[in-house]
Protein backbone atom coordinates (compact mmCIF):
# COMPACT_ATOMS: atom_id res chain seq x y z
CA UNK A 1 0.00 0.00 0.00
CA UNK A 2 1.51 3.29 -1.14
CA UNK A 3 0.32 6.85 -0.55
CA UNK A 4 -0.06 9.65 -3.06
CA UNK A 5 -0.86 13.38 -2.76
CA UNK A 6 -4.23 14.94 -3.62
CA UNK A 7 -2.26 17.38 -5.79
CA UNK A 8 -0.32 14.75 -7.68
CA UNK A 9 3.19 15.99 -6.87
CA UNK A 10 4.51 13.31 -4.53
CA UNK A 11 6.29 10.06 -5.27
CA UNK A 12 4.26 7.19 -3.82
CA UNK A 13 5.42 6.64 -0.21
CA UNK A 14 4.87 3.89 2.37
CA UNK A 15 2.77 4.42 5.51
CA UNK A 16 5.64 5.16 7.88
CA UNK A 17 6.87 8.00 5.68
CA UNK A 18 3.51 9.77 5.43
CA UNK A 19 2.97 9.17 9.16
CA UNK A 20 5.75 11.54 10.18
CA UNK A 21 5.00 14.21 7.58
CA UNK A 22 2.39 16.96 7.68
CA UNK A 23 1.41 18.35 4.29
CA UNK A 24 2.77 16.59 1.21
CA UNK A 25 5.67 18.49 -0.41
CA UNK A 26 3.28 19.81 -3.09
CA UNK A 27 0.92 21.26 -0.47
CA UNK A 28 -1.60 18.42 -0.84
CA UNK A 29 -2.70 15.66 1.53
CA UNK A 30 -1.69 12.01 1.53
CA UNK A 31 -4.20 9.32 0.54
CA UNK A 32 -3.78 5.63 -0.32
CA UNK A 33 -3.49 4.88 -4.05
CA UNK A 34 -6.76 2.98 -3.71
CA UNK A 35 -9.07 1.95 -0.89
CA UNK A 36 -8.75 -1.72 0.10
CA UNK A 37 -12.10 -3.53 -0.21
CA UNK A 38 -13.64 -5.54 2.61
CA UNK A 39 -16.02 -8.27 1.44
CA UNK A 40 -19.28 -9.10 3.25
CA UNK A 41 -17.71 -12.42 4.21
CA UNK A 42 -14.65 -10.84 5.80
CA UNK A 43 -16.87 -8.36 7.60
CA UNK A 44 -18.95 -11.20 9.09
CA UNK A 45 -15.77 -12.93 10.25
CA UNK A 46 -14.96 -9.82 12.32
CA UNK A 47 -18.13 -9.91 14.46
CA UNK A 48 -16.56 -11.55 17.51
CA UNK A 49 -13.40 -9.45 17.57
CA UNK A 50 -12.56 -7.11 20.45
CA UNK A 51 -11.89 -3.47 19.58
CA UNK A 52 -8.08 -3.86 19.45
CA UNK A 53 -8.41 -7.07 17.42
CA UNK A 54 -10.68 -5.32 14.93
CA UNK A 55 -8.32 -2.32 14.79
CA UNK A 56 -5.42 -4.67 13.99
CA UNK A 57 -7.39 -6.08 11.03
CA UNK A 58 -8.56 -2.75 9.63
CA UNK A 59 -5.26 -0.90 10.14
CA UNK A 60 -3.37 -3.87 8.73
CA UNK A 61 -4.99 -3.11 5.37
CA UNK A 62 -3.25 0.28 5.34
CA UNK A 63 0.03 -0.44 7.12
CA UNK A 64 2.23 -2.93 5.31
CA UNK A 65 5.62 -1.63 6.38
CA UNK A 66 5.19 -2.55 10.06
CA UNK A 67 5.21 -6.32 10.76
CA UNK A 68 1.67 -7.43 11.62
CA UNK A 69 2.67 -8.82 15.02
CA UNK A 70 4.22 -5.49 15.92
CA UNK A 71 1.19 -3.61 14.66
CA UNK A 72 -1.02 -5.81 16.81
CA UNK A 73 1.10 -5.02 19.89
CA UNK A 74 1.00 -1.29 19.22
CA UNK A 75 -2.76 -1.34 18.71
CA UNK A 76 -3.36 -3.41 21.84
CA UNK A 77 -1.25 -0.93 23.84
CA UNK A 78 -3.20 2.01 22.37
CA UNK A 79 -6.61 0.55 23.26
CA UNK A 80 -5.61 -1.21 26.47
CA UNK A 81 -7.87 -1.52 29.51
CA UNK A 82 -6.88 1.33 31.78
CA UNK A 83 -6.38 3.73 28.86
CA UNK A 84 -10.08 3.68 27.98
CA UNK A 85 -12.60 3.78 30.75
CA UNK A 86 -15.03 1.29 29.17
CA UNK A 87 -14.28 -2.42 28.84
CA UNK A 88 -15.61 -2.30 25.25
CA UNK A 89 -13.39 0.74 24.46
CA UNK A 90 -16.26 2.09 22.31
CA UNK A 91 -19.65 1.34 23.90
CA UNK A 92 -22.90 1.68 21.93
CA UNK A 93 -25.56 3.41 24.04
CA UNK A 94 -29.16 3.20 22.81
CA UNK A 95 -31.05 6.52 22.91
CA UNK A 96 -34.47 5.92 21.35
CA UNK A 97 -36.05 3.94 18.51
CA UNK A 98 -33.21 3.12 16.12
CA UNK A 99 -30.93 5.96 17.27
CA UNK A 100 -27.88 5.16 19.46
CA UNK A 101 -24.69 6.89 20.54
CA UNK A 102 -21.31 5.51 19.48
CA UNK A 103 -19.26 6.25 22.60
CA UNK A 104 -15.93 7.62 21.37
CA UNK A 105 -15.11 9.60 24.51
CA UNK A 106 -14.00 7.01 27.06
CA UNK A 107 -10.31 7.90 26.65
CA UNK A 108 -8.12 9.94 29.01
CA UNK A 109 -9.29 13.38 27.81
CA UNK A 110 -12.99 12.49 27.42
CA UNK A 111 -13.13 13.36 23.71
CA UNK A 112 -12.97 11.36 20.49
CA UNK A 113 -9.52 12.70 19.57
CA UNK A 114 -8.09 10.15 22.03
CA UNK A 115 -9.21 7.37 19.65
CA UNK A 116 -6.72 8.46 17.00
CA UNK A 117 -4.06 10.03 19.23
CA UNK A 118 -3.52 6.95 21.37
CA UNK A 119 -2.69 4.97 18.22
CA UNK A 120 -0.47 7.78 16.95
CA UNK A 121 1.45 7.86 20.25
CA UNK A 122 2.28 4.18 19.91
CA UNK A 123 3.32 4.23 16.23
CA UNK A 124 5.32 7.43 16.66
CA UNK A 125 7.38 5.91 19.46
CA UNK A 126 7.91 2.73 17.43
CA UNK A 127 8.83 4.51 14.22
CA UNK A 128 11.18 7.03 15.86
CA UNK A 129 13.04 4.21 17.64
CA UNK A 130 13.28 2.27 14.38
CA UNK A 131 14.81 5.29 12.66
CA UNK A 132 16.93 6.10 15.68
CA UNK A 133 15.75 9.69 15.68
CA UNK A 134 13.66 12.10 17.75
CA UNK A 135 10.76 14.45 17.11
CA UNK A 136 9.58 17.56 18.95
CA UNK A 137 5.88 18.12 18.49
CA UNK A 138 4.86 21.76 18.60
CA UNK A 139 1.24 22.85 18.57
CA UNK A 140 -1.34 25.33 19.77
CA UNK A 141 -4.54 24.33 21.47
CA UNK A 142 -7.67 25.86 22.86
CA UNK A 143 -8.48 22.59 24.61
CA UNK A 144 -9.23 19.22 23.03
CA UNK A 145 -6.46 18.47 20.53
CA UNK A 146 -3.58 19.57 22.71
CA UNK A 147 -4.61 17.54 25.69
CA UNK A 148 -5.29 14.44 23.58
CA UNK A 149 -1.79 14.76 22.10
CA UNK A 150 -0.19 15.19 25.51
CA UNK A 151 -1.96 12.18 26.99
CA UNK A 152 -0.98 10.07 23.99
CA UNK A 153 2.69 11.09 23.98
CA UNK A 154 3.41 11.46 27.72
CA UNK A 155 6.36 9.32 28.75
CA UNK A 156 6.97 8.12 25.17
CA UNK A 157 10.61 7.75 24.15
CA UNK A 158 12.11 9.88 21.40
CA UNK A 159 9.37 12.47 21.40
CA UNK A 160 8.64 15.69 23.32
CA UNK A 161 5.58 17.93 23.17
CA UNK A 162 5.53 21.74 23.31
CA UNK A 163 1.91 22.81 23.57
CA UNK A 164 0.98 26.48 23.56
CA UNK A 165 -2.32 27.44 25.17
CA UNK A 166 -3.91 30.86 25.77
CA UNK A 167 -3.15 31.90 29.37
CA UNK A 168 -6.29 32.19 31.48
CA UNK A 169 -8.64 31.29 28.63
CA UNK A 170 -9.28 27.61 29.14
CA UNK A 171 -11.77 26.11 31.53
CA UNK A 172 -10.56 25.01 34.98
CA UNK A 173 -11.15 21.40 33.91
CA UNK A 174 -9.10 21.78 30.72
CA UNK A 175 -6.26 23.48 32.61
CA UNK A 176 -6.22 20.77 35.24
CA UNK A 177 -6.24 18.10 32.56
CA UNK A 178 -3.22 19.47 30.69
CA UNK A 179 -1.16 21.21 33.34
CA UNK A 180 -1.28 18.40 35.88
CA UNK A 181 0.90 16.21 33.65
CA UNK A 182 4.30 15.88 35.31
CA UNK A 183 6.06 13.92 32.53
CA UNK A 184 9.43 15.38 31.60
CA UNK A 185 8.67 15.20 27.85
CA UNK A 186 5.50 17.32 28.13
CA UNK A 187 5.89 21.09 28.10
CA UNK A 188 2.85 23.30 28.62
CA UNK A 189 3.47 26.90 27.56
CA UNK A 190 0.69 29.28 28.58
CA UNK A 191 1.00 32.34 26.35
CA UNK A 192 -0.42 35.69 27.45
CA UNK A 193 -2.65 36.06 24.42
CA UNK A 194 -5.54 34.40 22.59
CA UNK A 195 -5.56 31.10 20.71
CA UNK A 196 -4.84 32.70 17.32
CA UNK A 197 -1.69 34.30 18.73
CA UNK A 198 -0.53 30.91 20.01
CA UNK A 199 -1.19 29.55 16.55
CA UNK A 200 0.79 32.40 14.95
CA UNK A 201 3.80 31.60 17.14
CA UNK A 202 3.65 27.93 16.11
CA UNK A 203 3.42 28.95 12.44
CA UNK A 204 6.36 31.33 12.79
CA UNK A 205 8.57 28.68 14.39
CA UNK A 206 7.68 25.78 12.12
CA UNK A 207 7.83 28.11 9.11
CA UNK A 208 11.45 28.90 10.02
CA UNK A 209 12.89 25.95 8.11
CA UNK A 210 16.38 26.17 9.65
CA UNK A 211 14.94 26.23 13.17
CA UNK A 212 12.50 23.47 12.27
CA UNK A 213 15.34 21.23 11.09
CA UNK A 214 17.68 22.13 13.99
CA UNK A 215 15.06 21.36 16.60
CA UNK A 216 13.44 18.48 14.67
CA UNK A 217 9.98 20.04 14.90
CA UNK A 218 6.90 18.07 13.93
CA UNK A 219 3.12 18.27 14.33
CA UNK A 220 0.19 15.99 15.05
CA UNK A 221 -2.56 18.11 13.50
CA UNK A 222 -5.84 16.90 12.10
CA UNK A 223 -4.52 16.25 8.58
CA UNK A 224 -2.19 13.50 9.85
CA UNK A 225 -2.99 10.33 7.92
CA UNK A 226 -2.34 8.15 10.98
CA UNK A 227 -5.20 9.89 12.76
CA UNK A 228 -7.63 9.56 9.85
CA UNK A 229 -6.97 5.86 9.38
CA UNK A 230 -7.28 5.09 13.11
CA UNK A 231 -10.76 6.64 13.01
CA UNK A 232 -11.89 4.35 10.19
CA UNK A 233 -11.90 1.48 12.70
CA UNK A 234 -14.81 2.71 14.80
CA UNK A 235 -17.14 2.96 11.80
CA UNK A 236 -16.58 -0.78 11.29
CA UNK A 237 -17.03 -1.37 15.02
CA UNK A 238 -20.29 0.63 15.08
CA UNK A 239 -21.65 -1.20 12.05
CA UNK A 240 -20.82 -4.60 13.59
CA UNK A 241 -22.58 -3.66 16.84
CA UNK A 242 -25.69 -2.16 15.17
CA UNK A 243 -26.38 -5.01 12.72
CA UNK A 244 -26.87 -8.75 12.96
CA UNK A 245 -26.40 -9.83 9.36
CA UNK A 246 -24.51 -9.11 6.16
CA UNK A 247 -25.59 -6.27 3.93
CA UNK A 248 -27.68 -4.40 6.50
CA UNK A 249 -27.25 -0.65 6.23
CA UNK A 250 -26.43 1.80 9.01
CA UNK A 251 -26.33 5.61 8.97
CA UNK A 252 -23.84 7.68 10.97
CA UNK A 253 -24.27 11.27 12.21
CA UNK A 254 -21.06 13.20 12.84
CA UNK A 255 -20.52 16.56 14.58
CA UNK A 256 -18.03 18.13 12.18
CA UNK A 257 -15.39 20.84 12.10
CA UNK A 258 -12.23 20.01 10.20
CA UNK A 259 -13.92 17.17 8.29
CA UNK A 260 -11.51 14.65 9.84
CA UNK A 261 -13.96 12.42 11.65
CA UNK A 262 -16.54 12.16 8.86
CA UNK A 263 -13.80 11.71 6.24
CA UNK A 264 -12.95 8.45 8.03
CA UNK A 265 -16.61 7.49 7.55
CA UNK A 266 -16.33 8.25 3.85
CA UNK A 267 -13.27 6.00 3.70
CA UNK A 268 -15.04 3.15 5.55
CA UNK A 269 -17.93 3.46 3.10
CA UNK A 270 -15.51 3.46 0.15
CA UNK A 271 -14.05 0.19 1.51
CA UNK A 272 -17.45 -1.46 1.11
CA UNK A 273 -18.89 -1.02 4.62
CA UNK A 274 -22.68 -0.83 4.14
CA UNK A 275 -23.16 2.76 5.26
CA UNK A 276 -26.36 4.35 4.03
CA UNK A 277 -26.04 7.99 5.04
CA UNK A 278 -23.20 10.07 6.41
CA UNK A 279 -25.05 12.86 8.19
CA UNK A 280 -22.79 15.88 8.59
CA UNK A 281 -23.76 18.25 11.42
CA UNK A 282 -22.26 21.71 11.85
CA UNK A 283 -22.90 24.44 14.39
CA UNK A 284 -23.39 28.08 13.38
CA UNK A 285 -20.06 27.80 11.50
CA UNK A 286 -21.71 26.03 8.59
CA UNK A 287 -19.11 26.16 5.79
CA UNK A 288 -19.50 22.41 5.24
CA UNK A 289 -23.30 22.31 5.49
CA UNK A 290 -23.35 25.10 2.90
CA UNK A 291 -21.19 23.01 0.58
CA UNK A 292 -23.42 19.94 0.79
CA UNK A 293 -26.52 22.14 0.30
CA UNK A 294 -25.23 24.28 -2.59
CA UNK A 295 -22.06 22.70 -3.99
CA UNK A 296 -20.14 25.91 -3.23
CA UNK A 297 -17.20 25.77 -0.84
CA UNK A 298 -16.45 29.16 0.69
CA UNK A 299 -14.05 29.13 3.68
CA UNK A 300 -14.35 32.08 6.04
CA UNK A 301 -11.98 34.41 7.82
CA UNK A 302 -11.22 34.18 11.53
CA UNK A 303 -13.43 37.26 12.09
CA UNK A 304 -16.35 35.53 10.36
CA UNK A 305 -15.98 32.49 12.60
CA UNK A 306 -18.40 32.51 15.52
CA UNK A 307 -17.33 31.46 19.01
CA UNK A 308 -20.06 28.96 19.87
CA UNK A 309 -21.00 26.61 22.68
CA UNK A 310 -19.69 23.67 20.63
CA UNK A 311 -16.22 25.23 20.38
CA UNK A 312 -14.35 22.27 18.87
CA UNK A 313 -16.43 22.74 15.72
CA UNK A 314 -15.65 26.46 15.38
CA UNK A 315 -13.67 26.29 12.17
CA UNK A 316 -13.50 28.58 9.16
CA UNK A 317 -11.85 26.14 6.75
CA UNK A 318 -12.05 22.36 6.86
CA UNK A 319 -8.48 21.12 6.54
CA UNK A 320 -9.38 17.54 5.56
CA UNK A 321 -12.02 18.47 3.00
CA UNK A 322 -9.51 18.32 0.14
CA UNK A 323 -9.30 14.55 0.56
CA UNK A 324 -13.02 14.13 -0.12
CA UNK A 325 -12.94 16.56 -3.05
CA UNK A 326 -10.14 14.48 -4.59
CA UNK A 327 -12.49 11.47 -4.67
CA UNK A 328 -15.47 13.58 -5.75
CA UNK A 329 -13.69 14.86 -8.88
CA UNK A 330 -12.64 11.35 -9.84
CA UNK A 331 -9.18 11.52 -8.23
CA UNK A 332 -8.09 14.17 -10.71
CA UNK A 333 -5.13 15.81 -8.95
CA UNK A 334 -4.81 18.58 -11.56
CA UNK A 335 -8.41 19.52 -10.92
CA UNK A 336 -7.81 19.62 -7.14
CA UNK A 337 -4.77 21.81 -7.66
CA UNK A 338 -6.82 24.19 -9.81
CA UNK A 339 -9.65 24.30 -7.27
CA UNK A 340 -7.31 25.21 -4.41
CA UNK A 341 -5.60 27.81 -6.59
CA UNK A 342 -9.04 29.29 -7.21
CA UNK A 343 -9.69 29.31 -3.46
CA UNK A 344 -6.71 31.57 -2.91
CA UNK A 345 -7.64 33.95 -5.72
CA UNK A 346 -11.47 33.98 -5.58
CA UNK A 347 -12.13 32.76 -2.03
CA UNK A 348 -14.48 29.96 -3.16
CA UNK A 349 -15.04 27.21 -5.69
CA UNK A 350 -18.21 25.84 -7.21
CA UNK A 351 -18.80 22.08 -7.55
CA UNK A 352 -22.57 22.34 -7.85
CA UNK A 353 -22.36 20.20 -11.02
CA UNK A 354 -21.58 17.27 -8.66
CA UNK A 355 -24.54 17.92 -6.36
CA UNK A 356 -26.58 14.91 -7.53
CA UNK A 357 -23.72 12.63 -6.43
CA UNK A 358 -23.33 13.96 -2.89
CA UNK A 359 -26.04 11.71 -1.53
CA UNK A 360 -26.67 9.25 -4.37
CA UNK A 361 -23.04 8.19 -4.71
CA UNK A 362 -21.41 9.21 -1.41
CA UNK A 363 -24.29 9.14 1.09
CA UNK A 364 -23.67 12.69 2.34
CA UNK A 365 -26.47 14.81 3.77
CA UNK A 366 -25.99 17.80 6.09
CA UNK A 367 -27.68 20.07 8.59
CA UNK A 368 -27.04 22.94 11.01
CA UNK A 369 -27.58 23.26 14.74
CA UNK A 370 -27.64 26.51 16.72
CA UNK A 371 -27.02 27.36 20.37
CA UNK A 372 -30.78 27.19 21.05
CA UNK A 373 -30.98 23.79 19.27
CA UNK A 374 -28.08 22.53 21.37
CA UNK A 375 -29.66 23.53 24.67
CA UNK A 376 -33.04 22.11 23.70
CA UNK A 377 -31.52 18.84 22.43
CA UNK A 378 -29.47 18.35 25.61
CA UNK A 379 -32.56 19.01 27.75
CA UNK A 380 -34.95 16.88 25.69
CA UNK A 381 -32.54 13.96 25.32
CA UNK A 382 -32.02 13.91 29.08
CA UNK A 383 -35.76 14.04 29.77
CA UNK A 384 -36.58 11.40 27.19
CA UNK A 385 -33.74 8.91 27.73
CA UNK A 386 -31.95 9.82 30.98
CA UNK A 387 -28.72 10.23 28.96
CA UNK A 388 -26.76 13.49 29.31
CA UNK A 389 -24.94 14.48 26.09
CA UNK A 390 -22.30 17.13 25.46
CA UNK A 391 -22.94 20.16 23.20
CA UNK A 392 -21.06 18.74 20.16
CA UNK A 393 -22.90 15.44 20.32
CA UNK A 394 -26.12 17.43 20.71
CA UNK A 395 -25.50 19.14 17.37
CA UNK A 396 -25.35 15.72 15.73
CA UNK A 397 -28.35 14.31 17.62
CA UNK A 398 -30.37 17.30 16.40
CA UNK A 399 -29.37 16.89 12.75
CA UNK A 400 -29.58 13.06 12.90
CA UNK A 401 -33.28 13.33 13.80
CA UNK A 402 -33.86 15.18 10.51
CA UNK A 403 -32.34 12.34 8.48
CA UNK A 404 -33.27 9.14 10.29
CA UNK A 405 -35.14 6.58 8.15
CA UNK A 406 -37.41 3.72 9.20
CA UNK A 407 -35.55 0.45 9.66
CA UNK A 408 -32.06 1.95 9.35
CA UNK A 409 -30.06 2.19 12.59
CA UNK A 410 -28.65 5.70 13.16
CA UNK A 411 -25.39 5.89 15.12
CA UNK A 412 -24.57 9.36 16.45
CA UNK A 413 -20.87 9.80 17.15
CA UNK A 414 -20.43 10.96 20.74
CA UNK A 415 -17.37 13.18 20.38
CA UNK A 416 -17.03 14.38 23.99
CA UNK A 417 -18.45 13.78 27.45
CA UNK A 418 -20.59 16.50 29.07
CA UNK A 419 -18.13 16.87 31.99
CA UNK A 420 -15.88 18.93 29.71
CA UNK A 421 -18.51 21.57 29.03
CA UNK A 422 -20.08 22.32 32.41
CA UNK A 423 -21.24 25.83 31.62
CA UNK A 424 -23.40 24.89 28.63
CA UNK A 425 -24.76 21.81 30.39
CA UNK A 426 -25.77 23.98 33.32
CA UNK A 427 -27.43 26.45 30.98
CA UNK A 428 -29.38 23.61 29.36
CA UNK A 429 -30.36 21.57 32.41
CA UNK A 430 -29.81 23.82 35.42
CA UNK A 431 -27.21 21.44 36.78
CA UNK A 432 -23.50 20.84 36.41
CA UNK A 433 -22.59 17.55 34.71
CA UNK A 434 -21.10 14.76 36.81
CA UNK A 435 -17.31 14.39 36.61
CA UNK A 436 -16.29 10.76 35.94
CA UNK A 437 -15.22 9.11 39.17
CA UNK A 438 -11.66 8.43 38.06
CA UNK A 439 -11.14 12.16 37.43
CA UNK A 440 -12.53 13.43 40.73
CA UNK A 441 -9.06 14.33 42.05
CA UNK A 442 -7.85 16.01 38.88
CA UNK A 443 -8.46 19.59 39.94
CA UNK A 444 -6.52 19.21 43.18
CA UNK A 445 -3.34 17.91 41.51
CA UNK A 446 -0.23 20.05 41.29
CA UNK A 447 0.09 21.90 37.97
CA UNK A 448 3.19 22.38 35.85
CA UNK A 449 3.11 25.19 33.27
CA UNK A 450 5.44 27.88 31.88
CA UNK A 451 3.76 31.26 31.54
CA UNK A 452 5.15 33.33 28.65
CA UNK A 453 4.55 36.62 26.91
CA UNK A 454 3.02 36.64 23.45
CA UNK A 455 6.54 36.66 22.02
CA UNK A 456 7.95 34.30 19.41
CA UNK A 457 11.51 34.73 20.72
CA UNK A 458 10.63 33.65 24.25
CA UNK A 459 9.00 30.50 22.94
CA UNK A 460 11.86 29.87 20.51
CA UNK A 461 14.39 30.05 23.36
CA UNK A 462 12.39 27.67 25.50
CA UNK A 463 12.04 25.12 22.68
CA UNK A 464 15.71 25.39 21.74
CA UNK A 465 16.71 24.71 25.34
CA UNK A 466 14.35 21.78 25.92
CA UNK A 467 14.07 20.06 22.51
CA UNK A 468 15.01 16.37 22.44
CA UNK A 469 17.89 16.03 20.00
C1 LIG B 1 -12.45 17.91 17.08
C2 LIG B 1 -13.87 17.77 17.54
C3 LIG B 1 -14.95 17.77 16.63
C4 LIG B 1 -14.78 17.99 15.15
O1 LIG B 1 -14.15 16.91 14.50
P1 LIG B 1 -13.50 17.09 13.04
O2 LIG B 1 -12.71 15.88 12.82
O3 LIG B 1 -12.65 18.34 13.15
O4 LIG B 1 -14.61 17.28 12.07
C5 LIG B 1 -16.23 17.56 17.14
N1 LIG B 1 -16.44 17.41 18.46
C6 LIG B 1 -15.43 17.43 19.36
C7 LIG B 1 -15.75 17.29 20.80
C8 LIG B 1 -14.11 17.61 18.93
O5 LIG B 1 -13.11 17.63 19.83
Amino acid sequence: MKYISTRGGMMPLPFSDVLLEGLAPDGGLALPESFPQVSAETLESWRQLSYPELATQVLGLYVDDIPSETLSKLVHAAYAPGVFNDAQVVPVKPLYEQTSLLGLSEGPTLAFKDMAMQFLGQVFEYELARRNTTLNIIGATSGDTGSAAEYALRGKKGVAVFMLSPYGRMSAFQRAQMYSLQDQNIHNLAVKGVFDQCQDIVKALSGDLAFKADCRLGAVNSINWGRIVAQVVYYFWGWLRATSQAGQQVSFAVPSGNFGNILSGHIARSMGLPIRRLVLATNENNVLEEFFRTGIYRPRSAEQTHATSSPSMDISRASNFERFVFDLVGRDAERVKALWAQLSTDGYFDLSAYKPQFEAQYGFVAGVSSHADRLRTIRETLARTGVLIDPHTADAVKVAAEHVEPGIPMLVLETALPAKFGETIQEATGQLPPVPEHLGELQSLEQRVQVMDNDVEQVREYVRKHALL
Side-chain angles (χ1 to χ4, degrees):
M1 171 70 65
K2 290 281 197 299
Y3 293 84
I4 53 173
S5 163
T6 50
R7 301 199 191 168
M10 181 174 88
M11 247 182 30
L13 291 175
F15 175 82
S16 56
D17 284 337
V18 298
L19 174 72
L20 298 175
E21 291 298 326
L23 283 178
D26 61 356
L29 304 178
L31 268 179
E33 282 176 318
S34 65
F35 293 121
Q37 297 299 301
V38 175
S39 69
E41 229 174 18
T42 303
L43 202 47
E44 288 312 304
S45 74
W46 288 349
R47 276 204 190 276
Q48 308 306 323
L49 301 186
S50 67
Y51 193 87
E53 287 167 349
L54 178 69
T56 305
Q57 294 299 320
V58 175
L59 292 169
L61 299 171
Y62 288 95
V63 182
D64 55 12
D65 51 345
I66 297 177
S68 51
E69 263 171 44
T70 306
L71 181 65
S72 171
K73 269 190 207 140
L74 297 174
V75 167
H76 278 81
Y79 302 110
V83 178
F84 286 80
N85 197 40
D86 189 283
Q88 296 258 301
V89 183
V90 176
V92 174
K93 311 178 223 178
L95 280 185
Y96 40 76
E97 288 140 26
Q98 68 261 49
T99 302
S100 305
L101 294 179
L102 187 65
L104 302 176
S105 306
E106 303 297 328
T109 74
L110 315 187
F112 92 100
K113 295 198 171 66
D114 289 326
M115 295 300 305
M117 285 291 191
Q118 287 295 325
F119 171 67
L120 215 58
Q122 296 294 335
V123 276
F124 264 46
E125 184 177 51
Y126 167 79
E127 195 51 35
L128 291 170
R130 200 178 67 81
R131 295 177 183 222
N132 193 21
T133 186
T134 59
L135 192 64
N136 293 285
I137 300 296
I138 183 165
T141 189
S142 52
D144 287 347
T145 313
S147 55
E150 291 187 350
Y151 277 79
L153 295 170
R154 62 186 294 200
K156 294 277 181 297
K157 292 186 202 76
V159 57
V161 180
F162 297 85
M163 195 55 67
L164 282 62
S165 53
Y167 179 67
R169 283 171 194 267
M170 292 197 304
S171 73
F173 186 85
Q174 287 174 319
R175 284 199 307 269
Q177 216 173 27
M178 288 179 60
Y179 302 164
S180 64
L181 291 177
Q182 301 295 332
D183 307 78
Q184 289 308 304
N185 71 330
I186 302 296
H187 303 270
N188 280 303
L189 311 183
V191 173
K192 291 182 183 160
V194 297
F195 169 71
D196 285 332
Q197 292 167 317
C198 296
Q199 185 103 305
D200 288 344
I201 294 177
V202 171
K203 278 189 193 152
L205 294 180
S206 43
D208 177 343
L209 296 184
F211 183 73
K212 185 180 180 205
D214 284 352
C215 291
R216 299 190 207 262
L217 296 187
V220 287
N221 42 30
S222 68
I223 57 164
N224 184 288
W225 172 252
R227 285 178 64 177
I228 300 296
V229 74
Q231 293 167 181
V232 171
V233 177
Y234 52 70
Y235 286 88
F236 280 85
W237 176 260
W239 185 90
L240 289 163
R241 300 286 81 78
T243 60
S244 53
Q245 63 199 46
Q248 256 179 292
Q249 288 191 309
V250 175
S251 292
F252 289 87
V254 188
S256 294
N258 267 319
F259 204 78
N261 199 353
I262 202 163
L263 175 75
S264 301
H266 161 69
I267 293 171
R269 195 173 184 277
S270 305
M271 294 166 71
L273 187 69
I275 295 178
R276 182 165 166 85
R277 284 179 170 169
L278 287 166
V279 181
L280 180 142
T282 69
N283 63 20
E284 290 87 336
N285 298 296
N286 67 329
V287 186
L288 288 167
E289 180 273 336
E290 183 176 87
F291 174 78
F292 284 103
R293 180 165 37 84
T294 66
I296 293 175
Y297 180 57
R298 192 189 300 274
R300 298 172 192 168
S301 64
E303 300 80 65
Q304 293 169 309
T305 307
H306 310 277
T308 75
S309 49
S310 44
S312 302
M313 295 155 67
D314 292 348
I315 58 99
S316 41
R317 61 187 62 245
S319 49
N320 273 296
F321 186 55
E322 182 170 337
R323 285 183 164 121
F324 172 67
V325 170
F326 182 65
D327 282 346
L328 183 65
V329 300
R331 301 204 134 207
D332 178 347
E334 286 307 313
R335 184 80 196 280
V336 172
K337 222 158 87 181
L339 289 169
W340 260 262
Q342 193 194 345
L343 265 192
S344 44
T345 54
D346 302 349
Y348 78 101
F349 59 68
D350 181 348
L351 290 177
S352 53
Y354 292 86
K355 249 182 78 174
Q357 298 173 25
F358 293 169
E359 184 176 359
Q361 189 175 344
Y362 296 101
F364 273 98
V365 293
V368 187
S369 165
S370 67
H371 180 68
D373 291 327
R374 222 164 282 140
L375 297 183
R376 184 180 43 75
T377 306
I378 292 170
R379 200 164 42 237
E380 287 181 2
T381 305
L382 181 63
R384 189 171 167 190
T385 67
V387 178
L388 186 61
I389 55 175
D390 101 289
H392 306 79
T393 309
D395 286 333
V397 167
K398 186 261 179 185
V399 177
E402 297 162 358
H403 295 283
V404 70
E405 299 160 285
I408 312 263
M410 172 68 79
L411 290 179
V412 177
L413 274 51
E414 182 186 47
T415 54
L417 292 190
K420 290 192 91 162
F421 301 98
E423 208 174 294
T424 303
I425 299 297
Q426 188 162 38
E427 191 180 345
T429 67
Q431 288 187 351
L432 283 172
V435 172
E437 210 177 307
H438 67 290
L439 294 178
E441 303 285 284
L442 191 65
Q443 305 219 20
S444 60
L445 297 179
E446 191 191 330
Q447 299 193 0
R448 180 167 158 268
V449 57
Q450 306 290 326
V451 179
M452 306 213 158
D453 293 332
N454 173 26
D455 173 12
V456 180
E457 295 316 312
Q458 252 186 54
V459 178
R460 187 198 303 272
E461 260 332 287
Y462 185 90
V463 174
R464 194 193 297 284
K465 223 185 239 158
H466 295 88
L468 258 184
L469 296 174

